[in-house]
Amino acid sequence: MDRGDIEEAGEEDFPRLGGGRYRPVVAHDRAVIEMSSVEPGSSSSPTLKFLNRNIKVVTPGELGAGGREGPRLEDGVNGHQKESKLELFGFDSLVNILGLKSMTGEQVAAPSSPRDGEDISITQGHPKPALKMGTMMGVFVPCLQNILGIIYYIRFTWIVGMAGIGQSLVLVLLCGLCTFLTTISLSAIATNGAMKGGGPYYLIGRALGPEVGISIGLCFFLGNAVAGALYVLGAVETFLKAFPAAGIFRETITKVNGTAVAEPIQSPNSHDLQIYGIVVTILLCFIVFGGVKMINRVAPAFLIPVLLSIFCIFIGIFLAKTDDPDTGITGLRFKSFRDNWSSAYQMTNNAGIPDPTGGTYWTFNDLVGLFFPAVTGIMAGSNRSSSLKDTQRSIPVGTLAATLTTTSLYVISVLFFGAVATRDKLLTDRLLTATVAWPWPVIVHVGIILSTLGAALQSLTGAPRLLAAIANDDILPILNYFKVADTSEPHIATLFTALICIGCVVIGNLDLITPTVTMFYLLCYSGVNLSCFLLDLLDAPSWRPRWKYHHWSLSFVGAALCIVIMFLISWSFTVVAIALASLIYKYVGLKGKAGDWGDGFKSAYFQLALRSLRSLGANQVHPKNWYPIPLVFCRPWGQLPENVPCHPKLADFANCMKKKGRGMSIFVDILDGDYYECAEEAKEACNKLATYIEYKRCEGVAEIVVAPNMTEGFRGIIQTMGLGNLKPNIVVMRYPEIWRRENLTEIPSTFVGIINDCITANKAVVIIKGLDEWPNEYQRQYGTIDLYWIVRDGGLMLLLSQLLLTKESFESCKIQLFCIAEEDSDAEALKADVKKFLYDLRMQAEVIVVTMKSWDIRSEGNSKEDSLEAFDAAQRRISDYLGEIKSQGSTPRLANGKAMVVNEQQVEKFLYTMLKLNSTILSYSRMAAVVLVSLPPPPLNHPAYFYMEYMDLLVENVPRMLIVRGYHRDVVTLFT
């Protein structure tokens, strides 16, 4: 949209039409009719032109009376405004200019990472878009310039002499196939959407996740930094070869290669390489600090001497004759071709000159590591994605053209180099390309120096920006020093890159640096191939690349080939590179900030979860495969601090129900109110609860349900929460110890309703009494874990006690199992049966059988006075409750509408049973770390108030208790 069309707009005025309501365009507008013609990325579609002509943003001062008149779309067809026919949809029309611009990605500043997205506002001061480059200058030329470099000029003829023509062809085709398959994968990923800064780091990170992206991205950064040193050393070595007098130190190497007469051969001294290399690197850094615009302007000029020098080399090869222009040159001869066909691996000195007493023996694997940097550079186009007119066309076409062009050049060069000189000449003349060049060798010298200096400038320019892109994603805090604004130069990152480059220059040996560069580039290429392989294999709905010539098998072969080449070159360098990437991956996982980029691993986890869920089916889970999936009810009976969405000890207890952390908990809360009014509040509460769960290091998910009241909300949760066999099977909640307060009279009915709903839904229940005193992971407990096993619960109580023992806080405790039996039962037989049962379950516990009468209070004449007082107090409160209901003059009814029928004898029986059980617990388990007891179901036709009185008598004076009720499923098994 032209900036002149935007006069001024308030934050609320621009998107709203007429009095705060959205007013879409008229149904018959050309904008609607021509909407189907808009192509992604198109800035010249007729729709946009139409909108640019007819949309006008007015200031608040231009509004009509009462501010009702807002900006509107003028009818471009009939000249007048008609009533909208799209108002039914209630949202902005699809051709709303803001939505359309954001969809096509035009003139809308996108965030640099998924976590720093902000609301986009349109202002009058938007800069004019920068000039975009096409396929030739934006992709093909940079790739060609990066691929053709020092290796071709000063190492390729030596490689042909050492490996022979046959194995050199295999070498070129092997490395070319690796980059070709990587280019196919790169083309598929790059055409699956818009690209931002970061090059391969951006592609890999968005496909495999931040951890993999950063680990490979940092290795690729190191590879680029080390490659800068490689280019600098190549330029310096070429300069010293062309001008030997410029060397400070001199070194004469005696060549002994089976010849009749030893020949002295001049070679640059390593100290000269170091000194000149450091000076050149510093000069290049000053140029980089001057600005990247100047480098981009002169970069295409560096390619002209390269192409000219290659042309002169081939002209010289065709014009060469025997010993002309130098000894060892044969011209294009079949005899030379035949003699040089086979390999001649041998010992050389550190400079690569054949020497039987040298310390280096070369093999094919070593030559792969030496040559592979000559085929790198295919990422140069993707690095400039933000400067391309059409990334989805330019990157595949330009990169593939550069790859095929250079591979063809290498294949032809192998044939001509092998036929133009003897093997001794190929192995001893490191600048044979300059020797045969027509008309003067200085053309090749100039071409080498300019090409290597240009490539070094590209490395010193691209590597800092890669590091800055990683830092700007704000995943790794340690990289915050390298963060820069979008329009700023990464000076600190450039200085850091220069230090790495200088350190590699000090090594001064090209043959030691090139394997290091090779490993980092191969690691990056394998990451690109694995990214495409994963995305192709998963085939998510969002995977729709415009580049159709790809398949997951090609990407897999490309990734495997990269790994194979890495081990062929050097297994030790490979282990070091993979170990470095693994360490960075682990560090990012530990110290990095969480980020969701929609990577392929998330899609793989999703599909794996779906398949696992389908494989589980809906049948009953076998006891051997049973896992507790607790539904933790966060709704407190009372109030929590403002910023604490869940009782802290509930998360601690949820962790106690998992063995070695394996399992899932579902934390739920209910927000009272209307869903339409509380939807946003519920989302905010859910985010707070999820953050708190993560802070408590509890593996689980958070859910917030909006309902008219707690009972209705919980009833909906218990019916719908979960999928298949991954539905929660245990409901965990706190015992309402404050239920007697005057302002909490609804607690008894709610609490009893929740228990009845759990029984109806066949869910187990665990109620925690004394939650405030529950120990955390650092509070070690001593004593016993006492189980009062009254009813058959499928072994849930036994399993919970075993899970408690796996936690550090309870690992010093022992289990005591109390079996409650009638007085006339065979206690010894019951004890023996329980011991045998525990033995078969592989559980260790001391078994104690406790006999007690069911309810006759008069048979216990020696009961303690305080117990009788509690009993009498409960009876009085129940009588008072009945009196209040009867005083209302109507028939007392339960919550479900049924008439209340009170059997006073049965009430007295229940009260006494709970009192007796409480006395037994206090007698045997006063010093227990935790007590587990069976949960009695709410009696039918008894008010909720009565049940709370029963429960209060049960938990009286017990500091920490778990009240457990199983369900009609066994959770433990005797069989293996």
Side-chain angles (χ1 to χ4, degrees), residues 614-880:
R614 288 197 299 266
S615 64
L616 285 176
N619 298 327
Q620 181 174 333
V621 178
H622 194 278
K624 289 192 296 184
N625 300 323
W626 188 89
Y627 283 85
I629 305 178
L631 179 70
V632 183
F633 191 38
C634 299
R635 183 73 172 252
W637 310 109
Q639 296 296 325
L640 288 174
E642 182 178 356
N643 294 324
V644 181
C646 177
H647 196 293
K649 296 302 180 67
L650 276 175
D652 294 333
F653 179 76
N655 282 329
C656 289
M657 299 183 70
K658 303 172 184 176
K659 185 177 182 180
K660 297 180 180 179
R662 290 190 293 265
M664 181 182 69
S665 302
I666 303 176
F667 290 79
V668 299
D669 200 357
I670 299 172
L671 192 62
D672 294 340
D674 182 75
Y675 176 71
Y676 294 101
E677 297 176 356
C678 303
E680 293 300 325
E681 184 181 354
K683 292 179 182 178
E684 182 180 355
C686 188
N687 292 333
K688 289 182 178 179
L689 183 56
T691 303
Y692 188 75
I693 294 171
E694 184 178 358
Y695 164 74
K696 293 294 291 182
R697 293 185 297 178
C698 183
E699 293 186 0
V701 296
E703 294 289 345
I704 301 294
V705 175
V706 180
N709 53 65
M710 188 188 299
T711 300
E712 294 297 328
F714 185 83
R715 194 162 292 167
I717 289 173
I718 206 68
Q719 294 181 75
T720 60
M721 189 65 66
L723 292 172
N725 272 323
L726 288 183
K727 290 183 177 179
N729 46 33
I730 302 177
V731 176
V732 178
M733 61 180 171
R734 182 185 186 183
Y735 181 75
E737 302 173 51
I738 59 173
W739 68 276
R740 295 187 187 278
R741 295 183 183 177
E742 293 182 359
N743 58 339
L744 300 176
T745 55
E746 77 283 355
I747 287 182
S749 59
T750 302
F751 180 72
V752 173
I754 289 176
I755 295 177
N756 285 326
D757 289 341
C758 293
I759 295 173
T760 303
N762 197 24
K763 306 290 184 183
V765 183
V766 176
I767 301 173
I768 312 168
K769 192 268 179 182
L771 182 62
D772 295 332
E773 287 76 31
W774 190 264
N776 58 33
E777 56 183 326
Y778 305 109
Q779 295 173 328
R780 186 173 293 274
Q781 302 297 303
Y782 299 93
T784 59
I785 299 176
D786 291 351
L787 282 65
Y788 286 83
W789 198 11
I790 303 174
V791 297
R792 182 180 180 275
D793 60 358
L796 179 60
M797 190 183 298
L798 295 172
L799 186 61
L800 287 178
S801 65
Q802 296 297 317
L803 292 175
L804 290 177
L805 286 181
T806 62
K807 303 302 175 182
E808 293 184 4
S809 52
F810 289 99
E811 63 182 1
S812 300
C813 297
K814 295 182 179 179
I815 298 178
Q816 291 186 147
L817 179 59
F818 295 87
C819 297
I820 309 300
E822 297 291 342
E823 188 177 31
D824 54 356
S825 300
D826 188 353
E828 293 301 325
L830 178 60
K831 183 175 182 179
D833 291 341
V834 173
K835 280 188 174 182
K836 179 63 169 60
F837 181 70
L838 293 178
Y839 177 80
D840 292 337
L841 289 176
R842 293 87 62 200
M843 296 180 180
Q844 294 182 353
E846 181 182 357
V847 179
I848 302 173
V849 178
V850 178
T851 59
M852 56 180 292
K853 288 187 176 181
S854 58
W855 70 277
D856 190 2
I857 190 171
R858 294 177 181 79
S859 63
E860 288 288 342
N862 298 325
S863 298
K864 293 183 180 180
E865 185 176 350
D866 55 349
S867 298
L868 289 175
E869 289 180 358
F871 178 83
D872 294 337
Q875 279 189 322
R876 285 196 301 271
R877 287 193 294 269
I878 289 176
S879 298
D880 294 341

Side-chain angles (χ1 to χ4, degrees), residues 527-583:
V528 173
N529 283 300
L530 286 175
S531 301
C532 187
F533 165 73
L534 181 63
L535 295 174
D536 245 335
L537 197 63
L538 295 174
D539 199 17
S542 62
W543 177 245
R544 301 184 304 275
R546 288 182 175 271
W547 181 259
K548 302 300 182 182
Y549 307 103
H550 64 92
H551 192 265
W552 65 264
S553 58
L554 296 178
S555 300
F556 179 78
V557 171
L561 187 59
C562 290
I563 301 298
V564 169
I565 292 178
M566 291 176 69
F567 280 98
L568 280 178
I569 296 171
S570 172
W571 67 267
S572 57
F573 274 98
T574 302
V575 171
V576 170
I578 294 178
L580 177 61
S582 300
L583 288 176

Side-chain angles (χ1 to χ4, degrees), residues 733 751 755 759 765-767 790-791 797 914 933-938 947 951 954 962-966:
M733 61 180 171
F751 180 72
I755 295 177
I759 295 173
V765 183
V766 176
I767 301 173
I790 303 174
V791 297
M797 190 183 298
M914 292 301 181
V933 65
S934 298
L935 172 69
Y947 184 73
M951 294 297 296
L954 175 63
L962 299 181
I963 313 170
V964 181
R965 178 175 179 82

Side-chain angles (χ1 to χ4, degrees), residues 3 54 124 249 294 399 404 528 680 693 729 807-808 960:
R3 295 294 167 254
N54 295 285
Q124 191 172 357
F249 303 91
M294 179 177 61
T399 308
L404 295 177
V528 173
E680 293 300 325
I693 294 171
N729 46 33
K807 303 302 175 182
E808 293 184 4
R960 195 181 297 150

